[in-house]
Amino acid sequence: MEPQEQAHGSDGDDCSVSGFDSAEKVIMKWDATASEEAREKMIFTDPQEVKLYLHAVDEIQRHVSSPGELESRASSAIQIAMARLEDEFRNILVSHSSPINSDSLMSSSSSSSHLEVDEDASNNNEEDDQEEETDLLKRTGSSSSSGSATVRLPTGRGSYSRSTSSIREIELIPIDAVVYLSWIARRMVSAGYLRECIQVYGSVRKSAVDSSFRRLGIEKLSIGDVQRLNWEALEQKIRRWIRAAKVCVRVVFASEKLLCEHVFESVGAVNIHEACFMETVKGPAIQLFNFAEAISISRRSPEKLFKILDLHDALIELLPDIESVFDLKSSDSIRVQAAEILSRLAEAARGILSEFENAVLREPSRVPVPGGTIHPLTRYVMNYISLISEYRPTLVDLIMSKPSRNATDTNAPEMDFSEVENKGPLALHLIWIILILQFNLEGKSKYYRDAALSHLFVMNNVHYIVQKIKGSTELKEMIGDLYLRKLTGKFRQAATYYQRAAWVKVLYCLRDEGLRTKGSFASGVSRSALRERFKSFNALFEEVHRVQSQWLVPDSQLREELKISILEKLSPAYRSFLGRFRSHIESGKHPENYIKITVEELETEVLDLFEGLTATQQHQRRRSE
């Protein structure tokens, strides 16, 4: 228990002056300005000296308002004593202040040792006080096996209870040192040195918090510094900040608040523990949240969406802890800042999604991708919305309005959501993005000079869209089977249009019309017309094979299905044509000039299509065969 003031009975002024003289000698003995020994030694390393010195301070304090010379001597002695106690206060804080080990914090369990305090203010029995004081002053701060230690501190509150299970207070300073700090603080405040006490405490503990920040990788960056960083560097800092912010709020700040309560709540001055807590952590807290604020107001671009959502999720998870740790009137600004950042992050996410939609619609590239393969825009957009679907729990709460089309914008597709009217706003935004992607791709398909390649391009890209939707459970659920079937019909329709554009002329060569004549040719077939027909077929097929072997259908299953579909029409038609007219050619001169390919060879050559082969590669393949 704290050393008590000595009782003064009816012995009169002589006894009082005698006590004052003794106390003054103790104070002067430890005057660092007058004694080398006092400068080199600290009082609060020796429990007995602590007891004597505090008793002396209390005795001097009683005489500060005494009349005459005694008042002057008391005032002088109190100034010396307060200077000494301030040094002792600082030394205890510094010697027990060290940065928190970030590795142990990241992996530690939610249970951590903490001080439990109670009070029995009515117990003034000197014998009990002496026994408890002796026990306390011998302690080294070791905890019981349960991980917590109970000490009696002169405080006005009972036990400290955590408001959220995620908060993990740790013992920043050993219990015996906390008690010493509390005793010193009480006397400094009583003597009118409240400001000095708060400044010393805040200065030392803020340095400890700054050290913990450095260990956690939190840099001192202004909002301007953050906004000037390139995005790759910023992504890494965001990941680090999210991990560190949880430790800062739940452990560092929470533990500092707990320490302030134990050191200052028994002091008696109104809200002193609040003032010391804010003196310690306000600067670091602002530094911590300024980073998230800088991100929330930075220039918007699509690649930032997911890190902004990560920040939003981390902050919304932390908000109850922030409100719990910063529940004091003096820390309103911290709570308000966190809430405002959360709101700005939400608005930034909504804004980025809207800007992404516009970017997809306006993407200006005009150069056709070689071979009609999947456009980079398609890959980018579908990968992007697949990621969006993974953030569904967050975005469902943030995206509250349906997409809208500018009525005056003629460069945007019409919107008809009647088929998906039961979908929520987020799902409708994703469907809208797919719709405007298709609209943009339709425009890009017109840059191909070959109509067949234009259709192949549409087929490839819409098929890719369908496969990406099917590959994501979340995305498929949001898009829905109805719209997915509509997309499937779209790429199948494009495949049909491709076959018509690419093969109708080839198949047209295999018709009977124009081959029969009423002339002398006994069979009624014009040999010259038939020869021309074979020559036309050979030339057209060779050209289609040469060109379309360079085209691409990246999906192997779609590629094989398309080849089979072509052969189902081409092989029977060619086989039948040969069956009907082969004899007419073979009975004439040089039949090899007209029938250049067998049915089997035709089928083999069709299998070369859509592989993206150059002319050289085609030639090498033929030689190897």
Side-chain angles (χ1 to χ4, degrees):
M1 179 65 85
E2 181 178 2
Q4 301 294 311
E5 295 182 16
Q6 297 294 329
H8 295 278
S10 57
D11 292 342
D13 293 340
D14 290 343
C15 181
S16 177
V17 171
S18 175
F20 178 87
D21 289 341
S22 298
E24 187 180 40
K25 287 180 181 179
V26 172
I27 299 300
M28 295 307 173
K29 171 188 173 183
W30 290 100
D31 181 4
T33 63
S35 167
E36 184 69 28
E37 182 181 3
R39 283 195 293 272
E40 293 178 354
K41 291 179 64 178
M42 302 305 294
I43 298 172
F44 281 76
T45 57
D46 184 338
Q48 191 59 35
E49 291 291 349
V50 170
K51 179 180 178 181
L52 290 172
Y53 196 82
L54 293 181
H55 276 312
V57 172
D58 294 339
E59 180 66 24
I60 297 295
Q61 184 68 24
R62 289 179 58 251
H63 292 84
V64 168
S65 299
S66 299
E69 180 188 353
L70 209 58
E71 179 183 10
S72 176
R73 288 171 61 193
S75 295
S76 177
I78 277 294
Q79 289 181 17
I80 294 170
M82 290 304 108
R84 181 70 202 201
L85 286 179
E86 182 178 325
D87 288 342
E88 295 284 341
F89 194 71
R90 180 184 290 104
N91 182 67
I92 294 170
L93 284 169
V94 170
S95 61
H96 293 98
S97 294
S98 58
I100 297 174
N101 187 314
S102 59
D103 292 335
S104 64
L105 286 175
M106 294 296 188
S107 60
S108 65
S109 63
S110 60
S111 61
S112 55
S113 63
H114 62 282
L115 294 174
E116 180 185 317
V117 296
D118 55 28
E119 179 182 29
D120 184 2
S122 63
N123 183 7
N124 291 319
N125 184 283
E126 185 175 345
E127 192 172 316
D128 289 344
D129 288 347
Q130 180 63 40
E131 181 181 348
E132 187 170 359
E133 179 184 7
T134 303
D135 175 65
L136 177 62
L137 294 178
K138 289 180 179 177
R139 297 182 67 154
T140 60
S142 60
S143 302
S144 65
S145 59
S146 64
S148 62
T150 302
V151 298
R152 293 183 181 274
L153 291 179
T155 177
R157 68 183 288 168
S159 61
Y160 180 84
S161 60
R162 293 175 290 187
S163 57
T164 60
S165 60
S166 55
I167 289 178
R168 297 174 292 162
E169 302 94 348
I170 64 173
E171 187 180 282
L172 297 174
I173 293 179
I175 296 170
D176 55 342
V178 171
V179 175
Y180 284 159
L181 291 170
S182 182
W183 291 349
I184 294 172
R186 172 178 288 197
R187 286 159 176 84
M188 290 184 71
V189 172
S190 176
Y193 285 75
L194 171 62
R195 182 180 182 83
E196 289 80 357
C197 185
I198 292 175
Q199 286 179 339
V200 170
Y201 183 91
S203 174
V204 176
R205 289 309 309 166
K206 182 180 179 299
S207 294
V209 172
D210 288 342
S211 295
S212 296
F213 268 36
R214 286 192 293 273
R215 284 201 174 186
L216 290 165
I218 298 175
E219 304 171 69
K220 286 189 176 180
L221 297 172
S222 68
I223 290 177
D225 292 335
V226 173
Q227 293 182 334
R228 282 190 290 271
L229 290 170
N230 66 64
W231 181 242
E232 186 177 341
L234 207 50
E235 278 188 300
Q236 296 176 353
K237 292 185 186 298
I238 290 172
R239 283 193 292 270
R240 187 184 302 131
W241 186 92
I242 289 171
R243 291 193 300 269
K246 294 176 182 179
V247 177
C248 288
V249 172
R250 293 170 175 169
V251 183
V252 178
F253 295 157
S255 300
E256 289 293 343
K257 182 182 179 184
L258 184 68
L259 180 61
C260 284
E261 290 172 351
H262 287 309
V263 171
F264 293 106
E265 266 199 331
S266 64
V267 167
V270 177
N271 297 332
I272 182 174
H273 69 281
E274 295 185 16
C276 285
F277 176 59
M278 290 308 293
E279 181 80 12
T280 301
V281 305
K282 186 174 183 179
I286 291 173
Q287 175 191 339
L288 178 70
F289 293 123
N290 272 354
F291 178 86
E293 183 171 0
I295 301 298
S296 73
I297 61 176
S298 63
R299 185 181 63 84
R300 296 172 183 175
S301 56
E303 72 272 11
K304 294 181 179 179
L305 175 62
F306 304 108
K307 283 304 170 189
I308 283 178
L309 291 175
D310 287 342
L311 269 179
H312 178 276
D313 288 350
L315 198 54
I316 205 167
E317 180 188 339
L318 272 176
L319 204 57
D321 301 321
I322 293 169
E323 290 173 348
S324 175
V325 173
F326 296 96
D327 61 344
L328 310 172
K329 178 69 175 175
S330 57
S331 55
D332 281 349
S333 60
I334 304 298
R335 296 195 306 276
V336 169
Q337 184 185 18
E340 288 179 347
I341 292 169
L342 191 63
S343 177
R344 281 195 290 269
L345 287 170
E347 185 56 38
R350 287 189 286 268
I352 288 174
L353 184 62
S354 177
E355 290 182 16
F356 176 72
E357 292 169 353
N358 288 328
V360 173
L361 181 63
R362 313 287 178 203
E363 200 280 327
S365 62
R366 290 170 161 265
V367 178
V369 291
T373 190
I374 299 162
H375 199 283
L377 177 66
T378 308
R379 294 186 187 276
Y380 177 69
V381 171
M382 292 312 298
N383 287 334
Y384 196 87
I385 66 172
S386 293
L387 275 174
I388 287 178
S389 70
E390 293 179 13
Y391 286 83
R392 178 181 182 180
T394 300
L395 285 168
V396 161
D397 292 334
L398 298 186
I399 307 301
M400 296 170 287
S401 60
K402 297 179 180 180
S404 58
R405 175 183 180 272
N406 188 338
T408 62
D409 190 352
T410 58
N411 293 320
E414 295 292 334
M415 294 176 61
D416 180 12
F417 289 134
S418 59
E419 296 179 351
V420 287
E421 58 186 8
N422 62 327
K423 296 293 183 182
L426 177 61
L428 292 178
H429 274 275
L430 297 185
I431 292 171
W432 172 239
I433 291 170
I434 292 171
L435 180 62
I436 57 180
L437 172 62
Q438 290 182 78
F439 183 80
N440 192 318
L441 293 171
E442 289 284 355
K444 295 184 188 308
S445 71
K446 294 178 172 58
Y447 295 123
Y448 290 101
R449 295 180 179 179
D450 190 318
L453 184 55
S454 174
H455 295 308
L456 190 79
F457 170 78
V458 172
M459 178 200 73
N460 275 330
N461 283 269
V462 178
H463 179 267
Y464 181 83
I465 293 171
V466 169
Q467 293 305 108
K468 289 295 287 188
I469 295 172
K470 288 181 176 179
S472 167
T473 303
E474 289 283 349
L475 188 56
K476 184 179 179 182
E477 184 179 333
M478 282 194 286
I479 298 300
D481 291 336
L482 185 64
Y483 195 73
L484 187 58
R485 284 196 295 271
K486 187 174 182 179
L487 287 170
T488 302
K490 179 77 174 176
F491 87 74
R492 294 196 183 283
Q493 182 185 56
T496 300
Y497 288 163
Y498 150 76
Q499 291 185 62
R500 288 177 184 172
W503 295 98
V504 67
K505 290 182 179 180
V506 177
L507 290 169
Y508 192 71
C509 292
L510 303 178
R511 74 193 191 286
D512 286 1
E513 290 82 359
L515 295 179
R516 303 218 176 248
T517 179
K518 295 179 180 179
S520 60
F521 194 24
S523 64
V525 174
S526 169
R527 182 177 282 122
S528 61
L530 185 58
R531 286 173 175 172
E532 286 302 317
R533 187 66 61 81
F534 269 105
K535 286 171 67 176
S536 296
F537 173 82
N538 292 333
L540 284 170
F541 181 77
E542 184 178 339
E543 179 63 13
V544 167
H545 176 270
R546 183 188 65 79
V547 171
Q548 296 193 25
S549 294
Q550 299 175 50
W551 294 359
L552 276 167
V553 177
D555 185 87
S556 58
Q557 183 177 343
L558 179 62
R559 185 168 63 245
E560 294 310 309
E561 288 177 359
L562 191 59
K563 291 175 183 178
I564 289 169
S565 179
I566 293 168
L567 288 174
E568 283 175 348
K569 299 176 180 65
L570 185 60
S571 291
Y574 187 58
R575 182 178 285 108
S576 176
F577 191 78
L578 280 180
R580 294 194 305 275
F581 301 112
R582 179 194 295 270
S583 61
H584 298 290
I585 296 297
E586 290 180 341
S587 63
K589 295 180 179 179
H590 307 295
E592 70 277 4
N593 290 338
Y594 308 104
I595 303 177
K596 292 188 173 183
I597 188 170
T598 66
V599 173
E600 291 73 21
E601 289 170 338
L602 178 140
E603 292 174 346
T604 300
E605 298 219 351
V606 167
L607 295 178
D608 286 342
L609 303 182
F610 319 125
E611 300 282 354
L613 301 175
T614 64
T616 302
Q617 289 171 326
Q618 292 179 46
H619 179 68
Q620 290 173 344
R621 175 174 287 193
R622 284 198 193 94
R623 289 185 63 186
S624 64
E625 292 172 354

